[in-house]
C-alpha cells in the first residue's frame, strides 16, 4: 500500500453512527473493492473527526454525515484525532440539540433562568430586601407562560408571515409590528393577571391592567421594537426565546438602575 503514495485526504467532522466508505477509481480496482462494499469501521463519539488519512488518495463519504471512521482499509494507516471542545462549546451544542428534540421544554427552562436572573439582578440593584416569593412568581410565569406561549407565537409568525422570504424587509417589519401592536399588549394583560392571581389578589387584575397597561407598553417601546427588528433579521427561530430572555435581563437591569437612582415610577412599569 505504500506504493499508493502519501497524499493526505482531509475529511469533514463526522457525527452519528455507521455509514460505510467507498473507494474511487483507480484505487478500488487496485484493492479489489467494489462500490457498495462496506469498509471496516470503528464507531466513534459525535465529537470524533477524521483529520488525516494517509496512503489512500481517494476516499469519499457515502452520506452527508459519517458516524464511523475506517480503522483498516487495505492496510492504509488512519490517523484519528478527537476534536477538543471547551465547556461553553459543548453546552451550546447540547442546548441546540435539545432545542430540536424538545423545543417547548428547553424554551421553558430558558425562560426559567431568564426570569430568575433578571429578577435577582433587579432586586439587588434596587437594594430593597430580597423577596423570594416575587422571584418564584416570575419564574413560574416564565416556565408556564413565556416559554410555551413564546414558542407558539414565534413559530406561527415564522410559518405564516412571508415564510419564503423570512429575513426580507417586509417580513421583518410585519413581524415586528404584529409583535408590538398585538402580542405585546395581549401578553402584558396575561402577565398582570397571572402575577396578581399568584399574589392572591385576582380581584385586582382588571384595575391593574387599566392602570399599568399603557405606561408599560409605552416604556417597552424604548427597546423592544429595535430588539425585535434584530430578532427577526438575525436570530434563528429556535433561539428567539433565548435571545429575548437575554435582552430582558439587560432591560430589567437598566430599569432597576434607574429605580435605584430615583426613577422608581419608570421601573414599576
Amino acid at each position: 500500500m505504500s506504493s499508493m503514495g502519501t497524499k493526505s485526504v482531509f475529511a469533514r467532522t463526522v457525527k452519528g453512527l455507521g455509514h460505510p466508505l467507498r473507494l474511487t477509481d483507480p484505487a478500488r480496482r487496485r484493492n479489489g473493492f467494489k462500490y457498495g462494499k462496506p469498509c471496516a469501521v470503528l464507531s466513534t463519539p459525535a465529537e470524533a473527526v477524521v483529520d488525516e488519512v494517509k496512503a489512500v488518495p481517494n476516499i469519499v463519504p457515502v452520506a452527508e454525515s459519517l458516524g464511523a471512521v475506517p480503522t483498516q482499509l487495505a492496510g492504509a494507516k488512519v490517523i484519528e484525532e478527537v476534536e477538543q471542545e471547551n465547556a461553553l462549546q459543548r453546552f451550546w451544542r447540547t442546548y441546540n440539540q435539545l432545542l430540536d428534540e424538545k423545543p417547548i421544554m428547553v424554551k421553558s427552562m430558558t425562560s426559567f433562568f431568564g426570569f430568575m436572573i433578571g429578577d435577582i439582578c433587579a432586586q439587588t440593584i434596587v437594594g430593597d430586601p430580597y423577596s423570594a416569593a416575587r422571584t418564584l412568581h416570575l419564574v413560574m410565569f416564565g416556565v408556564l407562560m413565556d416559554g410555551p406561549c413564546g414558542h407558539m407565537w414565534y413559530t406561527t409568525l415564522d410559518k405564516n408571515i412571508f415564510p419564503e422570504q423570512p429575513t426580507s424587509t417586509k417580513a421583518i417589519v410585519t413581524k415586528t409590528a404584529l409583535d408590538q401592536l398585538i402580542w405585546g399588549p395581549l401578553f402584558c394583560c396575561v402577565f398582570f393577571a397571572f402575577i396578581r392571581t399568584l399574589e392572591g389578589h385576582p380581584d385586582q387584575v382588571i384595575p391593574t391592567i387599566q392602570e399599568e397597561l399603557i405606561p408599560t407598553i409605552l416604556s417597552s417601546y424604548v427597546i423592544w421594537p429595535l430588539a425585535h427588528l434584530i430578532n427577526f433579521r438575525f436570530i434563528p427561530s429556535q433561539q428567539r426565546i433565548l435571545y429575548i430572555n437575554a435582552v430582558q435581563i439587560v432591560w430589567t437591569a437598566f430599569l432597576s438602575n434607574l429605580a435605584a437612582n430615583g426613577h422608581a415610577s419608570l421601573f414599576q412599569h
Side-chain angles (χ1 to χ4, degrees):
M1 288 298 296
S2 60
S3 62
M4 293 179 64
T6 59
K7 181 179 179 181
S8 298
V9 178
F10 293 90
R12 60 180 297 176
T13 300
V14 295
K15 297 181 180 180
L17 289 175
H19 292 289
L21 300 177
R22 294 175 180 171
L23 290 176
T24 57
D25 288 326
R28 68 181 183 88
R29 292 196 301 268
R30 188 182 306 132
N31 293 285
F33 279 78
K34 295 182 179 180
Y35 278 97
K37 184 175 181 180
C39 306
V41 296
L42 172 66
S43 296
T44 61
E47 299 88 354
V49 294
V50 181
D51 278 329
E52 188 176 16
V53 180
K54 289 187 176 180
V56 181
N58 295 302
I59 294 181
V60 294
V62 179
E64 278 295 319
S65 62
L66 295 174
V69 297
T71 56
Q72 183 179 7
L73 184 56
K77 181 180 179 182
V78 176
I79 297 179
E80 210 181 288
E81 290 185 4
V82 176
E83 182 183 21
Q84 298 299 318
E85 291 183 322
N86 61 39
L88 184 59
Q89 290 173 322
R90 192 177 304 112
F91 169 80
W92 183 244
R93 176 172 54 78
T94 303
Y95 178 84
N96 282 284
Q97 180 181 347
L98 290 173
L99 263 179
D100 292 333
E101 297 172 357
K102 302 175 181 179
I104 295 180
M105 183 193 75
V106 174
K107 290 174 185 180
S108 292
M109 293 308 299
T110 299
S111 292
F112 170 91
F113 286 105
F115 276 82
M116 180 179 68
I117 294 171
D119 189 59
I120 291 174
C121 289
Q123 295 195 51
T124 301
I125 293 172
V126 171
D128 292 336
Y130 177 72
S131 171
R134 172 177 141 171
T135 302
L136 177 61
H137 293 165
L138 289 172
V139 162
M140 290 177 65
F141 178 81
V143 171
L144 299 177
M145 302 301 298
D146 186 71
C149 293
H151 167 78
M152 290 185 288
W153 170 247
Y154 293 116
T155 299
T156 299
L157 284 182
D158 290 334
K159 285 184 177 180
N160 294 283
I161 306 300
F162 302 109
E164 70 285 353
Q165 297 175 303
T167 58
S168 63
T169 300
K170 61 183 178 181
I172 295 168
V173 172
T174 302
K175 290 177 183 179
T176 300
L178 290 173
D179 188 271
Q180 293 301 292
L181 299 177
I182 296 178
W183 182 249
L186 175 62
F187 210 53
C188 276
C189 293
V190 173
F191 174 79
F192 292 137
F194 190 95
I195 296 300
R196 284 290 186 241
T197 301
L198 286 181
E199 291 173 345
H201 302 293
D203 56 303
Q204 292 297 311
V205 170
I206 300 302
T208 300
I209 291 174
Q210 292 173 336
E211 180 181 351
E212 301 288 352
L213 180 60
I214 293 178
T216 300
I217 294 299
L218 291 178
S219 65
S220 74
Y221 287 161
V222 173
I223 187 173
W224 286 109
L226 176 60
H228 280 298
L229 288 173
I230 296 172
N231 177 21
F232 295 121
R233 175 62 180 88
F234 299 106
I235 307 301
S237 181
Q238 282 286 66
Q239 295 168 1
R240 298 202 196 283
I241 298 297
L242 175 62
Y243 166 78
I244 290 167
N245 274 275
V247 175
Q248 183 171 276
I249 291 172
V250 175
W251 177 237
T252 301
F254 171 72
L255 292 180
S256 300
N257 185 62
L258 290 179
N261 287 279
H263 300 280
S265 59
L266 179 58
F267 172 70
Q268 289 170 357
H269 298 316

